[in-house]
Amino acid sequence: MDSFLVATRILHYAASAVLEGVFVFWILIAWPAFRRADAAQGLRSRLDRRLFTLAWWCLIVAFVTGGAWLFILGSQMSGMPLSAVLPAGVLVIVLTQTHFGTAWLIRLALVAILAGCLVVQRFTRNQVPAVIGALAAAAFVASLAWAGHGAAAEDVPFDAIHLPADILHLLATGAWLGALVPLGMLLAEARREGSADAVTAAQAATLRFSTLGLTCVGTLLVTGVVNTWFLAGTVAALVGTLYGQLLLVKVALFVVMIAVASRNRRRFIPRLTDVAGKTADRLLAVFQLRRNVLTEAGIGVLVLGIVGVIGILPPGLHTEPNWPLPFRLDFGEIAPRIQTVLWVVVFALAVCITVVAITAWRRHHRLTTASVAALIVFVAIGCVAAWPGIVRAYPTTYYASTQPYSAPSVARGAPLYAANCTPCHGADGRGDGPLAKSLPTRPADLTESHLFAHKAGDIFWWVSNGSDNHVMPGFAAKLTSDQRWDLINFVFARAAGIIADQATSHISTAAAPPLPDFAYEQSGAQNTLSQTSKTGPVLIVLYAARVPLARLEQLAGSGQRLSGAGLHIIAVRLDSSAGKAPFEVDVSDDVRAMLDLFRTSTDGGETELMLDRNGSVRARWTASKNGGLADTATLLSDTVLVARIPVAAANHAGHAH
């Protein structure tokens, strides 16, 4: 089924692109070019006949393959065989209840308009139908955006520009790739006729196409960058997923097409425009141009083939990337001053590459040589500066957890840790389990702050396949992928609780331990910590055995001032359900168990945590510490400071499904 769908998509994309290209070629290339070569009307008539035939075939192929695409999608959505899609009424559901179906209904209407334009234009030779046809063909191609990933943009930064960029990308592809075929036809007819007027018409058309090509290439570059950022916006996703790898191949083919077009522009078009030259030489240039145009078109077919394949793959950012290299660059390991040097080197490299391209284009060989030498020097400087940031990497380094860092996952991970990790790492995770002394290497202390310096994907690799020193075994055969992520979330939560125990009332912007997300109910309304913290800092009040009623009433007395400063207060009783004290919320047993990791038995019965808008612990007070709990003035001032800590930028990467 997938092979059939890929073949259908490729044919549909190709037919749609050429259909747009034919109309664009008529309006922007051929007719203006023939106005400058009135004597070549015979050539124009022959070309028009061939373009009419090409347009009709493209329209028929697009109509048939579009219908096949609809049937295949209906089969995939319903799980029925293709033969049962129509009798079961699945097509009606797809057409009337999905964005894809709406787009296909519009496209069906556009097919009718395009057919009408071709009929009217064929018999009247009026250019108005061609203009209407060009607009309809452009809309026909642009509507393909609703069949791709652009129409399914998620809640990520700047997602509003994804769909427009996708539409422009499709339009530029159709105008450039699609018009290559008509241009090849024109050059073939011109060479066959062999007259000076035919060469003049070919020259005018080629020059106009060159301008069109430059515009389309610029559009494809910009929109291609935008689409790549949304769908495979990380190096890991580009090199570690099939989607990203095919995208890189597509980019490479695009570069080859530009190189071929550049050769045409630099070498053959000047020969064609040399009016003082011999007609035979100019006809040879026509032949060479046609050969390269067909080469470009052939590469374009390969590009469309890749588009047909990657359209049915999940985008790179939605897939777990398998990192292919044994190392990676970690900027966190590079000193800030050296990082500045690196950015300067990156800028210098960009300048050098630009200068090399320009000087090579203009054949200034000495400048090119000097630029290449400078490029090598800056690469060497960059390698030396980046060397401290080269760290060990694993195939799963850039995996994103399939289990959210939340109380339920932590609760599921706790017994998994107890059953599989306690003998070596100890019940408290400090590397002092019963078997620790018998091992050649002491097990890692899983409560130290450097735990958070590791990528979750690295830890996932160690849990799955064992450590590099071969002391720790792998658990891939024993635990499922989700169970390993639950176990990791438990280890993170426990380490965060221990690190938070060392927090003070001093507010800083340094890295802080994150509190897992959890759900709670207050006054009959459901909410989560992550939703609450979006609008301001949160004060978590934890207690057991005895409700600190006086403290909660004190907070309630200052509630208006604290709320005005943006502070939310959530009070959680850890040993039973919520009562009727101010700010008390009701939570599940899993949440109580998780929150218990963030208090100690020596806290005097109460622990208070102030969280920033990222859910990280910025301040901690206990009833037993000197100075005790924070007064209202302290809470107000700390709330202001914590509120200034920026929210981590929304990451559009790594949301694996």
Side-chain angles (χ1 to χ4, degrees):
M1 180 68 77
D2 283 349
S3 300
F4 186 29
L5 177 58
V6 169
T8 301
R9 286 169 52 89
I10 292 172
L11 285 174
H12 192 79
Y13 274 109
S16 302
V18 175
L19 189 60
E20 180 193 347
V22 169
F23 281 100
V24 168
F25 192 80
W26 259 326
I27 295 173
L28 300 181
I29 309 294
W31 290 342
F34 281 111
R35 278 198 292 269
R36 299 177 57 183
D38 292 336
Q41 293 308 309
L43 172 62
R44 173 178 175 173
S45 297
R46 290 196 301 278
L47 178 66
D48 278 351
R49 286 197 296 272
R50 295 190 64 184
L51 291 183
F52 270 118
T53 303
L54 178 65
W56 273 113
W57 273 112
C58 287
L59 191 61
I60 293 169
V61 172
F63 177 75
V64 173
T65 53
W69 190 345
L70 183 65
F71 266 80
I72 296 172
L73 187 70
S75 175
Q76 291 180 337
M77 292 176 65
S78 64
M80 297 179 178
L82 285 173
S83 57
V85 168
L86 186 59
V90 175
L91 286 190
V92 176
I93 296 174
V94 175
L95 287 171
T96 58
Q97 299 184 20
T98 67
H99 291 299
F100 184 91
T102 303
W104 248 237
L105 287 174
I106 295 172
R107 303 187 87 229
L108 183 61
L110 290 171
V111 166
I113 293 172
L114 284 164
C117 289
L118 286 174
V119 170
V120 174
Q121 187 187 343
R122 181 71 179 85
F123 292 101
T124 65
R125 295 302 179 95
N126 192 314
Q127 295 188 7
V128 174
V131 174
I132 298 173
L135 295 174
F140 190 73
V141 170
S143 61
L144 284 171
W146 277 267
H149 299 300
E154 300 178 16
D155 186 19
V156 296
F158 311 110
D159 62 343
I161 65 173
H162 189 191
L163 183 59
D166 208 13
I167 292 172
L168 288 175
H169 199 77
L170 287 165
L171 291 175
T173 301
W176 183 32
L177 287 184
L180 279 172
V181 178
L183 179 62
M185 288 180 169
L186 170 60
L187 294 174
E189 289 293 336
R191 184 166 183 270
R192 189 175 297 118
E193 182 168 311
S195 66
D197 290 332
V199 174
T200 300
Q203 168 206 332
T206 304
L207 288 174
R208 294 186 69 85
F209 182 85
S210 181
T211 303
L212 172 69
L214 283 175
T215 305
C216 291
V217 167
T219 304
L220 288 171
L221 280 173
V222 174
T223 56
V225 169
V226 172
N227 288 342
T228 301
W229 187 81
F230 277 108
L231 300 175
T234 66
V235 175
L238 276 174
V239 302
T241 66
L242 178 59
Y243 184 96
Q245 291 159 359
L246 287 174
L247 197 59
L248 289 176
V249 174
K250 180 186 167 190
V251 171
L253 290 173
F254 178 68
V255 171
V256 173
M257 289 184 69
I258 292 177
V260 174
S262 174
R263 181 176 172 80
N264 288 343
R265 190 177 176 84
R266 294 181 58 197
R267 186 167 181 178
F268 300 128
I269 292 180
R271 292 184 188 176
L272 187 61
T273 56
D274 182 12
V275 294
K278 297 179 180 177
T279 302
D281 292 339
R282 296 177 72 193
L283 280 173
L284 178 60
V286 170
F287 168 76
Q288 292 165 328
L289 270 172
R290 178 177 175 270
R291 181 191 59 196
N292 278 12
V293 164
L294 294 180
T295 301
E296 281 185 68
I299 300 172
V301 170
L302 296 178
V303 170
L304 292 176
I306 293 176
V307 171
V309 174
I310 64 177
I312 66 169
L313 297 176
L317 287 179
H318 295 242
T319 312
E320 289 180 329
N322 288 308
W323 183 248
L325 303 175
F327 61 86
R328 63 182 174 87
L329 180 62
D330 185 350
F331 273 89
E333 298 291 330
I334 302 174
R337 289 182 180 178
I338 303 300
Q339 287 186 26
T340 304
V341 173
L342 265 180
W343 286 116
V344 172
V345 168
V346 169
F347 176 77
L349 287 175
V351 172
C352 287
I353 291 172
T354 304
V355 173
V356 168
I358 294 174
T359 53
W361 172 272
R362 297 185 176 179
R363 300 185 180 182
H364 297 317
H365 300 303
R366 289 185 178 178
L367 286 175
T368 303
T369 304
S371 303
V372 170
L375 191 66
I376 294 172
V377 170
F378 281 118
V379 167
I381 294 173
C383 290
V384 172
W387 186 256
I390 303 298
V391 299
R392 184 86 166 86
Y394 306 91
T396 62
T397 288
Y398 292 97
Y399 274 22
S401 176
T402 58
Q403 301 302 305
Y405 183 60
S406 60
S409 177
V410 172
R412 292 192 298 270
L416 295 173
Y417 176 88
N420 298 283
C421 310
T422 298
C424 298
H425 292 282
D428 296 329
R430 298 185 184 278
D432 56 356
L435 300 180
K437 292 183 179 179
S438 64
L439 298 175
T441 303
R442 179 185 170 86
D445 185 343
L446 302 179
T447 66
E448 294 184 351
S449 58
H450 69 76
L451 180 71
F452 291 97
H454 294 291
K455 280 188 167 293
D458 287 347
I459 298 176
F460 182 78
W461 176 265
W462 295 326
V463 173
S464 302
N465 301 283
S467 61
D468 293 342
N469 58 19
H470 306 295
V471 174
M472 174 178 164
F475 293 88
K478 189 175 182 180
L479 303 176
T480 66
S481 174
D482 287 349
Q483 286 176 323
R484 281 171 268 158
W485 282 118
D486 286 335
L487 191 155
I488 292 169
N489 280 339
F490 168 74
V491 171
F492 275 143
R494 186 181 52 191
I498 293 173
I499 296 169
D501 184 43
Q502 302 161 11
T504 66
S505 59
H506 175 69
I507 306 297
S508 76
T509 57
L515 191 81
D517 193 16
F518 63 87
Y520 64 87
E521 180 177 328
Q522 188 172 36
S523 303
Q526 302 284 336
N527 209 335
T528 63
L529 173 64
S530 57
Q531 287 295 326
T532 303
S533 61
K534 282 183 178 178
T535 56
V538 179
L539 183 70
I540 304 287
V541 182
L542 304 176
Y543 46 89
R546 180 185 62 82
V547 179
L549 193 58
R551 171 61 173 172
L552 294 177
E553 288 179 345
Q554 177 196 355
L555 292 173
S558 306
Q560 192 170 2
R561 297 172 61 194
L562 295 172
S563 176
L567 183 66
H568 304 281
I569 301 176
I570 298 174
V572 182
R573 184 170 184 171
L574 298 179
D575 61 349
S576 65
S577 300
K580 296 183 179 179
F583 305 114
E584 267 198 342
V585 300
D586 204 2
V587 296
S588 67
D589 291 340
D590 287 347
V591 175
R592 291 193 187 89
M594 181 276 291
L595 290 175
D596 198 43
L597 297 172
F598 286 80
R599 65 177 294 269
T600 65
S601 58
T602 60
D603 67 353
E606 184 182 352
T607 295
E608 294 184 0
L609 307 170
M610 183 175 285
L611 313 181
D612 62 21
R613 289 175 291 167
N614 301 304
S616 298
V617 180
R618 288 294 169 184
R620 180 176 182 271
W621 300 272
T622 66
S624 62
K625 271 190 177 179
N626 290 335
L629 302 173
D631 56 24
T632 301
T634 301
L635 288 176
L636 285 171
S637 61
D638 284 357
T639 298
V640 173
L641 293 174
V642 171
R644 290 175 182 169
I645 296 174
V647 178
N651 187 2
H652 79 296
H655 39 285
H657 298 292

